[in-house]
Every structure is written in structure tokens, then in C-alpha cells.
Amino acid sequence: MKRNLTLVFALLILSFSISAQTVVKGIVKEVQGDKEVPLPFANVYLEGTTIGTTTNLDGYYELKVEPGTYTISISFIGYDKVSKEITADGETAIEVNTTLKSGEGQKLQEVEVAGKANRESENMLMLEQKKAVVAVEAIGAKEMSRKAVSDVAAGVKKVTGVSMMGSKQLFVRGLGDRYNSAELNGLPITSPDPTKKVVKLDMFQADIVKLLEVNKVFNAKNYADYTGALINIETKDYPTEPFLSVSIGGKYNSNSTGKPFYMIQSEGNKYFGFDVNARRKLTPTNYLQVNRIMNIGEDFHPASFGFTTNNANPNSSFSIKGGKLFDLNGASKIGVLASVSFDNEYEYSPDVIDLNISNKQGNIDGNYVSQIYSYNTYFTSLLSLSFVNSDRHSITYNMVYLNNGEDGFKQKKGLSPDWGEEDTALIRNAEYIKYRLLSNQIKGKHKVNDKLVFNWNGSVMDVMYDIPDRREIVYQQNPDLAWTYFALNNGNDTKRVIIQQNSMEYNATASLDYALDDEKGNIAVGAYYRLKNQTYNSYMFGYLFNQANLENYAVDISNPDAYFGSQIFDRVKSNTNDGMGYDGNLYIYSGFVDFVYNLNRLTLNAGLRTEYSSMEIISNTNKINNNETSYSFDNLDLFPVVNLKYSVNDKSNLRLAVSRTVTRPSFYEKSPAQMIPELGERLTVGNPGTKDNPTAYGYLENSYSNNIDIKYEIFPKRNELISISAYYKNIIQPIEQKLASTGGTDFIKTFVSTPENATAAGAEFELKKRFNNVFAGLNAAYIYTNIKIPDSFDELNKERPLQGASPYIINADLGYNLRYGKNKSNISYVGVVFNSFGERLYAVASDGIGNQYELPFNALDFVLKNTINQKLEINLTVKNILNSTTEYKQDIYSDLSQPDVKTGQTVVYRYKKGITAGIGISYKF
């Protein structure tokens, strides 16, 4: 494999070296008053060809052409076009500078619309990064496409210092979910997953994304609830040229495609993932009772533990999107963009090692081999409507609807010593999860005069998390090899679980931005309001078997329907209690002032934000019986920030940032509601305790962080970047998960504030380089985190890294871009993308059990993109070429004479995801 890759890239670089090209460059200016100033977004092209570009914010442009004679034309709406004949010899660079003069055919009021910046391009985003007062990193739609990024979860992993654990847990600079935040078009997003603060990022397919912004440095204009990073997902909006495109795709996975694929038997439309209501009907609402034992009626559907084993189809995708800009009266325009897409995937992890360790000496509590199946669907839609009046007024409405379904089936088989030394256990767990998000946003920008701009935003978000019917069934195989139902805990082993969470979020913002004289800077003030309402309810009930000698009742595990009926059980036991539900309300009122002042090469940004937050949680809501308990938590905070930017020269910046941020506990972490675990997992209960009124587990309050960032960045040429940065964070009373005793040998998971401060520090490096047609990129992060553990946590280590923190993260890409055909209208891009992260703490153990670690993982992807006549695009991808093993190990302390000395590690979980090869075809009309 390595030899073949080396040969391919040697040939690519050789073909690049023998293709001589001439650089055509220059600066375009316009006259303002008595001065000539750079003109951004001017069109520069070679007549009779498809070669062209636009000037950047400095008025600079650059083209590369084959030897020959051309006519270069430079134009901009409202100005006379300039044309000049040039001759390229393949060696000598050509410089064409010009100043455009106003024409009489069009008015300048049209300039803002016609010159709309293309923020999907790498060049534009790099220019914005260079100009920005506050450091920000971004990856645009063009770069995501070049790196075969299919969704936001995959996209953020390309940013320096960012990693994901699966598709649901985000880590930035070693800081996990609770230390990060996410926004959609600059407004907060509510996560559908009750256990996560950051929205499930793979719900956002790349079709609707213009760019991803990763803000690792605090800005007073943002909410202060992020210590790692604020991820802003900016969706696409109206195009300057009308278009309509249709795309289809298919993928083959070496693990799943064409192989037997298990799915739970259920009604409804499984393929598109909109079958929640059909599944919910399996358990009528009259069975959703608290602490009751009920006889089973005919409406209970007792045979729905059956399953299907059809062969898995190839993964598929489809999308259609289009947009147009409508001219109303010359100065006013309406822009429209609409997009709808559907993607599905069959995931299968065969023969997964699944080991349970009961103590630090490594004694085995369960030794299983699991087969894990998941059919996932993603429906994504976007509607964007924009009204633009010259450069003075704009109003935009965005509607985003996302529906993500996860239809999982897990079967694990092995030995469980607690059940009998000779008995084999078989546990089947089927679960369908629906994540739904509906966002309606409206944003306005109004230029009151040449100095004052008024901005306003509003949003309503409706979010749902629904598990309509989780089903667990447990069998045991006796020494005679006969399978029987396992009923040691009658009513708790074979069961059903239903979980429903609904959230509504409302946001409103308003701000004024005043420009100082002589471009010296600006002053901004604003006020924000956020309201979040959340309702959570869960229900669990099990089957009571009526057989006196159940261990002698043999069943056919391949045909559950024939054996799972009234001859086996006649009642349902509700294991639901009143404490499995809660209502939550969160109010945040905030205001800010932000000041920017330019002192020649030095730019000062000083800001102050104040936030008043009020969280209310009402527990015991599964049954309204006047025993509901209300908890309130109020905080008033100030968050100062200072950003300094020193322009060393025209191509490099030195930045320094000092700030204070906050991490607020979520409803999930503060509510005393009981979160129902899967079989074998521990119950999770939140902690409503405060310093003044702690619970038996301790207290849980806001965590604060003092942050310092320093960064040096160089922009050698267009599309090129070299940067190095360092950071330090002192996290005050960090929030950690704790295993707490509830009496005897029973433990639950909960959350507490730790009295000792935590540290997060590190260094980051990024390189983007272009050698004519060859693209190269590299970013790397070194991450150090440390937290001291109180004795009350009953952990084996008195200090450790933060959960999920890798000591290093590396991303690299290398690609070659080739133009060919008539007028060079065909484009092919071939590239490889590499990602690697180091060993990270996966699960913090206690109660005398060692920690679990995820071992280093390497991923390599191949991308081939072909654009023919600017209309037809054919793309080939091969992902996870190395098919590396995902592996978790647990610390073992087997030497009884030295109980605090780690003696080794044992593999507790191991699987492979398989190699995925795909083809996608897109046509633009």
C-alpha cells in the first residue's frame, strides 16, 4: 500500500513539474474621493476561456495560464471594463495593475449585491482570518468538498485541536462536550440528545453548510458558555447566479453491504426513518403507568421481539437544491435557496470483543462477543429567503428541518459468572432513536448612516428526542445446550423502555455598531435574550413470567414470536417511578459592550459581557400527584475579554487574547431524574445540590475558566498559511462525573463540582501550502490536561487527564488539481486525507476499578473529484482505507502486595468499522 501511494504521488508531482505555467497577477483599485483604494470582488478573466477569478479584500488577484496570447479583462458593476492583451511564455510573471473608473450604464447601488463575498471558498475565508480582529478558524464548503467531508461532525475534525468520540462527543483542546457550545447562523442550538450539550453534529449534512467557524477565543459578542470552542454552523444562502442541481450516490462497506443485517421487527416506514408513531403504537399509553402491575391485553403486541435478517443494501444518498436571485427594481433583490437531501447507511461491527471487569485485579464479570447493527437515516432540508436593498438593508429567513433515525440491534453472547459458571448468556437489545430539529430564524441588518449599523436576530427552535420502544430480552443456555428465558430478576431482565424529550428554545438579539472616524475602529453594544423549555419523561416495564420451572422451558431464540406469548407471561410490571421525569426552564439575559481601536499596526479589542442566568427544574413529574419538587439556580456574571492584534507586516499577525468564560451544568446534570441505562450499565442521576445546600453526593455549580491564547500567523501567498499558537486555561471547580454509593454495593453515576482546579494547556501548528497544482495541508496539536481527584471520588488515581483528551491530534492532506480539455473546462482533483489521535481517557472508573482508555487510531481517505464542462461532477471516495482497529483497554492492578501499582491493561472492547468506497454523481442545470 505505502509503495503504491508513493508511486502515485511521484507521478503527480512529475506531471506538475513538466507543465510550465505563467503567473498573471496585479492589484485593482477604485477612486474614492481624492484617493485610490483597493477594489475587492472585481472580476478578472481571460476572454474566450473559462479561466478567471475575483480580487481579494486587498484588491489583489492571481491567475496561472499556459503559454500563449490572451486578452485579460477586468470589470466591476458600475465601472468601465478594462482589457489588455498579454503574452505568456511559461517563465516570466506578468503584472497587470489598473484603476477602474465609473461608467454611466449602471449605478453603484447594485455593487453590494453583485459583489457578494463567496464565503464558501478557502481564499475568502483565509482573507477574513487575516483581517479579523479576534482569532477564528473556519472550513468552507469548498474545502469540505475537497476533503470528502459529508457532515459537520466530519468537518470539525479537520480543524486543529478538534476531535470526535464517535459522532456524538466533541472534544476541543482536550475539553469535552460540557465545555463547548454550538450555534446555527450565530444563534444557539438546542441538542436533541438529553445527555449532550452540543447538538449531534452529524445531523447537519454538508449539502446545506456554507462554512464552519471554530471560535477558540472568547468574543464579547458571543454567549460566554464555552471554554473549549464555540462551533458556528453557517448555512448556505442565495446564489448570485441561478442554479438547479441534482445528486445521487451509493457506497459499499466491506463489513455490511450484502451481508445478513439484523433489524427488530416493527411497523412503519423504516427506510426513511419516519416510523416513530408506528412503533409507539406497540405500547398503548394505558401501559405507561407508575409503579403498577397490569394484566396484558390483546393490544400489547407481545410478539414484537422478532427480528429480520435481510442482506444490507449499499448506502445511498440523494439531494436536490436550487436557488435564484430575483431583481425587483435594480436596487432591491430577493434571493431564494432551497435544498432537500436524504442519506442512509448500514453499519455492522462483527465479532466485537465486549468484556466486563468487576474489580481492579481484572476479574471478569462478563465475557461476550457482540454483533452490532445500526441502520441510520438523515433527512436534511433548508429554505433560505433573503431581501437585500442595495448595501443598506438586508433581511434573511432560514428554516432548517433535520430528522435523524438510528435503528440499532445488538446481540451479545458469552459467559456471565454471576449467572452460573457453565451457562451461556445471550442478550438482545433493540433500540430506535429519533432526533428531530426544526429551526426558524430571521435576521436583519440595517445601515442607518455611513457610521451606524443596526443588527437584530430572532429564532424559534423545536427539538425532539424520542425512543418509542427500546426492547431487551435475555436468554441463558444450560449445560444441555437448551435456551431458556433468564428471569433471575423477574420483571427487570426482559423489558421495554420508552423515553421522550421535547425542547423549545427562543432567542432574540439586538445590537448597534458605530464606526469611529478615519477608520480608527468601532464601538458595539447589544442585548441578548434566551429561553429554553424542556420536558423529559421515561418509562420502564418488564414481563412477569408465569412458568414455575422456567429454566426447563426450552425456546427457539431464532423465532421469538412463537414462544413469547401468554403461555409464558400474563402481566407487565411497571418499574417506572415518579422520579424518571422532569420539567426544566432556562432564562439567560445578557448585554455586552465591545470596543475596537486601531493604532497603526496594533489593534486593540476590549469587551465586557454580563449574563444573568436562571435555571428552574421541577422533578417527580412522571405522575402529577402534588409531590413535585422545584429547584432554582441563579447567577449573575461578568466576562471581560481583551484581544490584541499586531500586524508585524502585510503578511503576518501576532495575536494575544485574555478572557474569562463559564461552563454551566445542563438539565441532565442538574436534574435528580433517573436516566434509564441499558442492561448492565449503571443508573445516572443528576445532582441539584449547591454549595450552601449539597446533596449526599456533593454539590454542582457553574465552572469558570481563565484563558490565555497567543498566536503567530503568516500568509505567504494566496491560499497559504503558517501558524503556531499556544494556550493555557485554569478551570475553576471543574465538573466531573462521579460514581456514588446509594447503600451497600449499589452505585449510581452523578455529577459534582470538584474543589481542585483543572489545567488545560497546549500548542497548535497549522500549514497550508500550494505548489502550483499541488495542495498540501498539515495541522497538529499537543494537548496537556490535568485534574486532581478528591478522596471522596474513590478513584485509583489521585490525578489524571480530563476525560476524552488526546495528547496529540494530527490532520494532513495532499492533493493534485488538473485542468484539461477544451478551454481547460474540465477539472480533476485527486487527494488523500489523513487523521490520527493519541491514546485518550475514555471512561473514568471508580469503586476500585481501573480507568478505560481508547488507543491511538489512524484514518486515511482517498478522494477523486471530476468536473466536466462545469455541469457534470463525478466523485469517487474510499474512506478508512487502513481499516484500523478501534480498541479500548482497562487498567489492571493485579499485584496484591502493591495494590496502587498498575501492572498492565486488558482489552475490554474491540471492533472495526470496515472500508467504505463510494461514488457520487451531480448534475447542474
Side-chain angles (χ1 to χ4, degrees):
M1 175 64 74
K2 292 181 178 178
R3 185 178 300 172
N4 291 339
L5 288 174
T6 302
L7 178 60
V8 168
F9 281 101
L11 292 173
L12 292 176
I13 295 174
L14 177 62
S15 64
F16 145 70
S17 63
I18 62 176
S19 178
Q21 290 186 316
T22 294
V23 174
V24 182
K25 61 183 180 179
I27 295 177
V28 180
K29 296 182 178 181
E30 63 174 332
V31 177
Q32 288 188 2
D34 58 351
K35 296 188 299 184
E36 291 185 355
V37 298
L39 178 62
F41 314 126
N43 298 308
V44 182
Y45 60 96
L46 303 181
E47 294 186 1
T49 75
T50 60
I51 301 174
T53 187
T54 58
T55 56
N56 64 23
L57 296 178
D58 297 319
Y60 177 81
Y61 70 90
E62 185 176 303
L63 301 170
K64 292 182 176 66
V65 301
E66 302 291 337
T69 300
Y70 304 88
T71 297
I72 185 172
S73 293
I74 303 173
S75 64
F76 195 75
I77 291 179
Y79 293 87
D80 291 327
K81 182 173 73 172
V82 173
S83 299
K84 179 180 178 64
E85 186 174 278
I86 59 173
T87 300
D89 59 8
E91 296 181 0
T92 307
I94 300 173
E95 187 168 342
V96 179
N97 301 317
T98 188
T99 300
L100 297 184
K101 299 179 180 179
S102 297
E104 298 181 3
Q106 293 171 300
K107 295 182 179 180
L108 291 178
Q109 280 85 345
E110 301 176 13
V111 169
E112 181 70 19
V113 174
K116 176 174 174 279
N118 181 13
R119 301 191 73 220
E120 297 182 14
S121 74
E122 295 178 67
N123 183 39
M124 178 56 62
L125 294 177
M126 200 170 295
L127 287 169
E128 290 185 356
Q129 180 177 337
K130 177 183 176 183
K131 296 281 188 181
V133 177
V134 180
V136 64
E137 298 171 52
I139 176 171
K142 300 296 184 184
E143 184 176 356
M144 287 193 289
S145 176
R146 180 166 61 82
K147 296 180 178 179
V149 169
S150 58
D151 55 57
V152 170
V156 295
K157 290 194 296 185
K158 309 303 180 186
V159 177
T160 311
V162 180
S163 64
M164 296 286 298
M165 191 175 286
S167 63
K168 299 180 181 180
Q169 296 189 62
L170 173 71
F171 293 87
V172 181
R173 292 177 163 179
L175 300 174
D177 176 80
R178 67 171 60 92
Y179 293 102
N180 301 295
S181 292
E183 292 185 342
L184 180 64
N185 297 314
L187 293 170
I189 318 175
T190 291
S191 171
D193 189 336
T195 68
K196 298 293 181 293
K197 173 184 172 184
V198 175
V199 67
K200 191 169 178 286
L201 295 176
D202 64 350
M203 293 179 65
F204 293 85
Q205 299 296 289
D207 290 328
I208 66 170
V209 178
K210 179 194 294 185
L211 63 97
L212 301 175
E213 287 183 334
V214 180
N215 301 272
K216 300 175 186 175
V217 175
F218 177 53
N219 184 334
K221 295 181 180 180
N222 298 328
Y223 281 103
D225 192 4
Y226 65 96
T227 298
L230 171 65
I231 309 296
N232 181 42
I233 305 168
E234 187 169 328
T235 56
K236 295 181 178 180
D237 57 9
Y238 68 90
T240 54
E241 298 293 334
F243 81 97
L244 175 66
S245 67
V246 177
S247 303
I248 59 171
K251 295 179 182 178
Y252 169 88
N253 180 268
S254 60
N255 277 3
S256 63
T257 306
K259 310 288 177 59
F261 196 85
Y262 281 61
M263 296 181 72
I264 195 69
Q265 185 172 317
S266 63
E267 301 296 328
N269 189 329
K270 293 184 180 181
Y271 185 80
F272 289 102
F274 288 95
D275 56 348
V276 170
N277 290 333
R279 293 178 186 240
R280 189 178 290 126
K281 291 177 182 178
L282 294 172
T283 310
T285 56
N286 59 292
Y287 289 96
L288 303 183
Q289 302 292 326
V290 176
N291 295 327
R292 288 186 60 192
I293 295 178
M294 299 158 285
N295 290 327
I296 290 176
E298 294 181 356
D299 56 351
F300 194 77
H301 302 276
S304 57
F305 276 85
F307 53 86
T308 61
T309 56
N310 297 319
N311 289 344
N313 294 321
N315 302 340
S316 60
S317 62
F318 170 81
S319 72
I320 180 170
K321 53 181 176 286
K324 187 174 181 179
L325 186 65
F326 297 89
D327 193 336
L328 299 182
N329 57 16
S332 299
K333 299 180 184 291
I334 290 180
V336 180
L337 179 88
S339 174
V340 176
S341 69
F342 172 78
D343 301 75
N344 69 3
E345 60 184 10
Y346 294 82
E347 291 186 344
Y348 171 44
S349 298
D351 302 327
V352 177
I353 291 178
D354 197 344
L355 195 68
N356 296 332
I357 303 295
S358 61
N359 57 30
K360 68 179 183 180
Q361 286 81 30
N363 292 347
I364 297 175
D365 187 42
N367 188 356
Y368 303 100
V369 174
S370 296
Q371 314 297 322
I372 303 176
Y373 308 83
S374 183
Y375 174 67
N376 307 319
T377 59
Y378 305 89
F379 178 83
T380 307
S381 60
L382 166 69
L383 174 64
S384 178
L385 303 173
S386 300
F387 171 78
V388 183
N389 178 257
S390 177
D391 64 340
R392 306 194 70 84
H393 304 283
S394 66
I395 298 175
T396 300
Y397 165 75
N398 288 314
M399 186 280 292
V400 174
Y401 177 78
L402 310 175
N403 188 87
N404 170 209
E406 294 180 355
D407 199 344
F409 187 94
K410 179 179 179 180
Q411 175 175 284
K412 62 181 185 180
K413 180 180 179 182
L415 297 176
S416 182
D418 287 347
W419 297 4
E421 293 293 338
E422 298 180 353
D423 287 355
T424 298
L426 179 69
I427 303 171
R428 286 178 178 155
N429 184 299
E431 179 177 70
Y432 178 80
I433 307 177
K434 177 177 179 176
Y435 305 89
R436 190 206 68 194
L437 184 150
L438 173 62
S439 171
N440 290 278
Q441 298 179 324
I442 186 166
K443 309 180 72 173
K445 181 177 181 180
H446 308 278
K447 190 173 182 181
V448 181
N449 53 46
D450 291 340
K451 291 183 176 293
L452 187 63
V453 177
F454 174 57
N455 297 284
W456 56 272
N457 305 279
S459 70
V460 178
M461 189 170 293
D462 183 359
V463 177
M464 183 180 74
Y465 173 87
D466 199 343
I467 300 179
D469 199 21
R470 181 201 294 170
R471 311 169 207 181
E472 296 179 7
I473 189 167
V474 185
Y475 303 95
Q476 63 181 351
Q477 189 180 43
N478 59 36
D480 296 330
L481 302 182
W483 288 104
T484 63
Y485 290 112
F486 179 75
L488 178 64
N489 304 300
N490 202 9
N492 288 312
D493 300 308
T494 296
K495 60 180 177 290
R496 284 185 174 172
V497 174
I498 292 176
I499 301 175
Q500 298 171 347
Q501 176 177 287
N502 293 284
S503 305
M504 293 294 298
E505 177 157 333
Y506 308 87
N507 285 279
T509 74
S511 64
L512 288 169
D513 197 322
Y514 180 78
L516 303 180
D517 292 335
D518 299 323
E519 299 182 351
K520 284 294 185 180
N522 63 279
I523 300 175
V525 295
Y528 290 9
Y529 170 75
R530 182 182 184 187
L531 167 61
K532 180 179 178 181
N533 305 128
Q534 188 163 290
T535 300
Y536 177 92
N537 294 99
S538 57
Y539 307 90
M540 178 173 67
F541 49 95
Y543 299 94
L544 289 172
F545 294 94
N546 58 23
Q547 292 288 320
N549 299 307
L550 191 65
E551 66 274 10
N552 297 322
Y553 187 85
V555 297
D556 182 0
I557 61 173
S558 64
N559 186 19
D561 292 4
Y563 294 84
F564 202 72
S566 59
Q567 74 275 24
I568 298 297
F569 66 91
D570 60 3
R571 290 176 297 163
V572 171
K573 174 186 177 183
S574 174
N575 295 311
T576 304
N577 63 58
D578 205 6
M580 292 181 178
Y582 71 85
D583 294 338
N585 300 298
L586 174 66
Y587 303 85
I588 299 180
Y589 305 88
S590 61
F592 75 88
V593 58
D594 189 71
F595 175 68
V596 177
Y597 193 75
N598 299 315
L599 294 166
N600 295 324
R601 291 186 177 276
L602 179 65
T603 301
L604 166 68
N605 168 227
L608 180 65
R609 187 178 187 90
T610 179
E611 293 185 357
Y612 171 75
S613 61
S614 178
M615 176 186 283
E616 179 189 27
I617 293 176
I618 303 172
S619 64
N620 300 328
T621 60
N622 256 18
K623 183 179 180 181
I624 305 303
N625 55 3
N626 298 320
N627 74 330
E628 292 76 30
T629 304
S630 179
Y631 304 89
S632 296
F633 315 97
D634 301 329
N635 289 277
L636 177 63
D637 297 298
L638 292 175
F639 301 102
V641 57
V642 174
N643 288 284
L644 293 174
K645 173 189 172 184
Y646 179 73
S647 298
V648 180
N649 52 49
D650 292 340
K651 294 185 177 181
S652 61
N653 299 318
L654 179 63
R655 300 177 182 272
L656 174 68
V658 181
S659 64
R660 180 177 187 258
T661 53
V662 65
T663 298
R664 297 186 178 95
S666 65
F667 290 132
Y668 169 69
E669 294 169 330
K670 286 295 290 183
S671 166
Q674 300 173 19
M675 304 294 173
I676 305 171
E678 291 186 13
L679 185 68
E681 298 294 328
R682 296 189 187 275
L683 192 69
T684 298
V685 179
N687 183 2
T690 63
K691 265 187 179 180
D692 297 331
N693 187 23
T695 64
Y697 319 129
Y699 67 90
L700 179 61
E701 294 188 344
N702 288 353
S703 172
Y704 298 90
S705 178
N706 297 318
N707 315 291
I708 300 176
D709 293 76
I710 186 169
K711 185 174 187 178
Y712 182 63
E713 53 192 10
I714 305 172
F715 303 85
K717 297 179 182 178
R718 177 175 175 262
N719 277 339
E720 294 187 351
L721 169 67
I722 303 172
S723 74
I724 185 169
S725 59
Y727 63 90
Y728 174 82
K729 299 177 183 293
N730 180 35
I731 305 173
I732 302 167
Q733 60 178 33
I735 300 171
E736 285 288 299
Q737 183 173 280
K738 174 185 177 181
L739 199 62
S741 173
T742 58
T745 60
D746 295 330
F747 287 82
I748 63 166
K749 292 180 181 178
T750 189
F751 307 92
V752 297
S753 296
T754 60
E756 298 287 345
N757 293 354
T759 298
E764 298 173 340
F765 172 79
E766 184 173 12
L767 169 69
K768 290 184 178 181
K769 184 68 178 176
R770 182 171 181 177
F771 307 92
N772 285 357
N773 293 339
V774 176
F775 295 82
L778 171 68
N779 67 60
Y782 166 74
I783 298 169
Y784 169 82
T785 61
N786 181 268
I787 182 172
K788 291 180 170 57
I789 307 302
D791 292 338
S792 61
F793 274 45
D794 193 27
E795 291 189 26
L796 294 175
N797 302 299
K798 297 308 176 186
E799 59 180 292
R800 57 167 171 77
L802 292 174
Q803 184 181 3
S806 295
Y808 67 84
I809 302 172
I810 299 173
N811 290 292
D813 65 279
L814 182 64
Y816 180 79
N817 199 64
L818 174 67
R819 287 180 177 268
Y820 60 96
K822 186 177 180 181
N823 295 326
K824 306 291 183 182
S825 60
N826 301 331
I827 304 173
S828 290
Y829 175 83
V830 59
V832 290
V833 182
F834 176 77
N835 170 261
S836 177
F837 61 79
E839 180 178 286
R840 57 191 180 187
L841 180 60
Y842 170 71
V844 178
S846 57
D847 188 28
I849 300 176
N851 292 333
Q852 292 183 2
Y853 295 86
E854 182 179 4
L855 299 190
F857 185 87
N858 301 315
L860 181 68
D861 300 338
F862 170 82
V863 185
L864 175 62
K865 300 176 66 66
N866 297 280
T867 302
I868 302 171
N869 293 325
Q870 300 182 349
K871 290 185 176 294
L872 177 64
E873 189 171 302
I874 303 175
N875 301 324
L876 300 173
T877 59
V878 183
K879 294 190 175 183
N880 196 29
I881 295 172
L882 304 177
N883 197 18
S884 298
T885 300
T886 299
E887 190 171 58
Y888 300 83
K889 289 189 175 183
Q890 185 164 324
D891 290 342
I892 302 298
Y893 300 76
S894 59
D895 189 348
L896 297 179
S897 65
Q898 302 181 76
D900 296 329
V901 177
K902 186 175 75 172
T903 56
Q905 289 183 316
T906 295
V907 175
V908 293
Y909 206 71
R910 177 192 290 159
Y911 69 93
K912 289 190 175 185
K913 296 186 67 173
I915 301 171
T916 301
I919 181 171
I921 301 174
S922 176
Y923 188 81
K924 184 179 289 188
F925 295 91

